[in-house]
Amino acid sequence: MEGTEWLEEVTEDTTIEKLKESCLKHNAHGSLEDPKAVTQHKLIHAASERVLTDTRTIAEENLKDKDVLLLVKKRPPLPPPKMSDISAEEKKKQENKAPDKEAILKATAGLSVRETDRTVAQHNIRDFQTELRKILVSLIEVAQKLLAMNPDAVELFKKANAMLDEDEEDRVDETALQQLTEMGFPESRAIKALRLNHMSVTQAMEWLIEHVDDPTRVPSLPSTEDSKPDELTEIFKRIRRKREFRPDSRAVIALMEMGFDEKEVIDALRVNNNQQDAACDWLLGDRKPSPEDLDKGIDTNSPLFQAILENPVVQLGLTNPKTLLAFEDMLENPLNSTQWMNDPETGPVMLQISRIFQTLNRT
């Protein structure tokens, strides 16, 4: 509320402590008269929320030109609790403490035994979102086989593919595009590179350099009648490429600033539905489930999958190309599930899958 803003120019070998001293001159005149003033403040890197170490240099802290830093006064340490407060707190804890096994047995010793076998069945209540992914992987395989048998399959999927092309026109990360155009790449090719590389600036730049001599054109699909199976396969691949996971660019930058490389950051965001905090926990933890686990389907002989396939609404939905597109999209972008749940064509299918899962899960 009472802070000021200014530009500080320093060399790369300047220590954080020296930078802090310089900052204190702007922030509070006369603060340096108190020798403790420097130690009572800290500098924080605003983008990564990192507290900078006094003994390290600008270069060692990897600070860049125009980085924003915050000068913050440290909170004073809490005073040590008084002995009377400690005893009162311990007493309160004891009063609120749950009884242990010995206390329970003592309190219930006089009760008559009604059931000798006290073994409690452990029910594995599965998480719907986790299982839904496996269900979708297996349903996509079934839908592709069913749709491939349709004599109009190629035309249906060409139309679906064209719809996706129109949809793609609005999906460009403006910040990423600006970075590439500022490097000198033409806007049209930068857009193409970003779409092919899931809005990753690094991968798009590599693609642009590798394909600098390529003509600017969109590859066409084969159109001969004899190549129907191959053509369908190619269309399926193109649809999947367009529906591939798009990592949140801000989350990617934030996590890479912590020292993780881009590939593992994208894997973490994919596993955790683009949730930055969850992705960070995954990167720092045992990294389970792995990205490979996401592509495993459900056991096709399980009662759950059989019940889903036997449902008439699901059976009808699997013959609709739009359902396959919805499954592909939800597989890579789970946050889009709400959109497909509200769609008049795909919503009933998703509702039946959810109901069947909840019914079998309860039983």
Side-chain angles (χ1 to χ4, degrees):
M1 294 291 286
E2 300 171 357
T4 56
E5 192 174 306
W6 70 94
L7 184 67
E8 193 72 49
E9 292 186 3
V10 290
T11 58
E12 288 190 339
D13 59 352
T14 304
T15 64
I16 300 301
E17 187 173 27
K18 288 291 182 187
L19 175 58
K20 203 194 301 183
E21 286 179 9
S22 180
C23 291
L24 280 166
K25 291 177 185 176
H26 289 273
N27 187 52
H29 297 293
S31 291
L32 290 177
E33 294 173 6
D34 180 3
K36 293 182 180 178
V38 176
T39 57
Q40 288 173 351
H41 288 77
K42 59 185 174 182
L43 277 175
I44 299 172
H45 187 250
S48 63
E49 300 179 9
R50 257 185 318 120
V51 178
L52 305 181
T53 307
D54 286 359
T55 54
R56 301 184 74 180
T57 64
I58 298 293
E60 287 170 343
E61 284 288 6
N62 198 28
L63 297 182
K64 306 296 181 187
D65 192 26
K66 296 183 181 178
D67 270 4
V68 178
L69 305 182
L70 299 175
L71 178 68
V72 182
K73 191 168 184 178
K74 295 178 182 177
R75 292 180 182 175
L78 294 171
K82 298 176 183 177
M83 288 304 296
S84 58
D85 294 337
I86 294 174
S87 57
E89 186 67 25
E90 285 297 320
K91 186 178 179 183
K92 189 177 179 181
K93 281 184 182 178
Q94 289 298 324
E95 288 174 354
N96 296 332
K97 188 180 177 183
D100 57 18
K101 185 176 179 181
E102 187 179 346
I104 292 171
L105 291 173
K106 185 178 178 181
T108 58
L111 298 176
S112 58
V113 179
R114 295 186 180 183
E115 189 180 334
T116 53
D117 184 10
R118 292 182 175 270
T119 305
V120 179
Q122 297 295 322
H123 295 285
N124 181 23
I125 305 300
R126 297 165 295 182
D127 173 57
F128 178 59
Q129 288 301 325
T130 304
E131 289 297 313
L132 177 61
R133 183 174 187 87
K134 296 178 182 178
I135 294 167
L136 292 177
V137 169
S138 297
L139 283 178
I140 285 170
E141 293 177 8
V142 175
Q144 286 183 350
K145 290 174 183 175
L146 286 173
L147 288 163
M149 294 165 64
N150 188 326
D152 301 321
V154 172
E155 288 306 314
L156 285 169
F157 276 94
K158 277 185 178 178
K159 288 178 183 176
N161 198 39
M163 285 168 58
L164 287 180
D165 281 333
E166 292 172 11
D167 192 34
E168 286 289 300
E169 292 301 318
D170 300 323
R171 299 197 179 190
V172 178
D173 187 318
E174 293 297 332
T175 306
L177 178 61
Q178 184 180 350
Q179 288 182 45
L180 290 175
T181 52
E182 285 177 353
M183 293 177 195
F185 296 110
E187 185 174 324
S188 59
R189 291 189 64 76
I191 290 171
K192 180 179 179 182
L194 286 169
R195 286 177 181 159
L196 289 173
N197 293 280
H198 323 313
M199 300 301 151
S200 165
V201 176
T202 307
Q203 292 177 18
M205 184 173 65
E206 290 174 359
W207 184 91
L208 284 164
I209 293 168
E210 288 173 11
H211 297 79
V212 68
D213 298 322
D214 288 5
T216 307
R217 62 183 180 84
V218 178
S220 58
L221 290 169
S223 57
T224 57
E225 289 298 323
D226 297 334
S227 62
K228 178 184 171 184
D230 293 335
E231 189 173 358
L232 264 181
T233 304
E234 183 61 27
I235 294 172
F236 284 146
K237 285 179 181 176
R238 288 192 69 195
I239 289 171
R240 173 156 285 188
R241 280 200 298 272
K242 288 172 184 171
R243 288 303 187 189
E244 279 180 349
F245 173 69
R246 293 179 176 83
D248 184 314
S249 57
R250 291 183 182 84
V252 171
I253 292 168
L255 291 169
M256 285 180 67
E257 283 182 347
M258 295 180 188
F260 301 108
D261 67 49
E262 188 173 21
K263 183 184 181 303
E264 59 184 359
V265 165
I266 292 172
D267 283 345
L269 289 170
R270 181 174 176 234
V271 169
N272 294 282
N273 302 338
N274 260 335
Q275 301 299 312
Q276 184 179 322
D277 290 344
C280 184
D281 291 341
W282 184 88
L283 286 164
L284 296 170
D286 60 3
R287 303 195 176 189
K288 298 290 182 183
S290 68
E292 291 74 25
D293 291 337
L294 298 182
D295 298 323
K296 293 178 181 175
I298 192 173
D299 179 5
T300 52
N301 294 318
S302 66
L304 173 59
F305 194 68
Q306 291 301 315
I308 290 171
L309 287 184
E310 290 168 6
N311 184 280
V313 176
V314 176
Q315 288 176 358
L316 186 62
L318 291 176
T319 62
N320 182 351
K322 192 173 183 180
T323 304
L324 179 57
L325 295 181
F327 288 171
E328 291 278 10
D329 191 25
M330 286 186 286
L331 202 60
E332 295 302 339
N333 300 286
L335 297 178
N336 291 349
S337 298
T338 307
Q339 168 196 332
W340 296 112
M341 288 290 282
N342 295 326
D343 187 277
E345 292 181 66
T346 58
V349 177
M350 295 306 302
L351 183 62
Q352 291 301 317
I353 292 172
S354 175
R355 283 179 175 171
I356 293 167
F357 175 85
Q358 300 297 347
T359 302
L360 289 181
N361 205 29
R362 282 197 295 270
T363 56

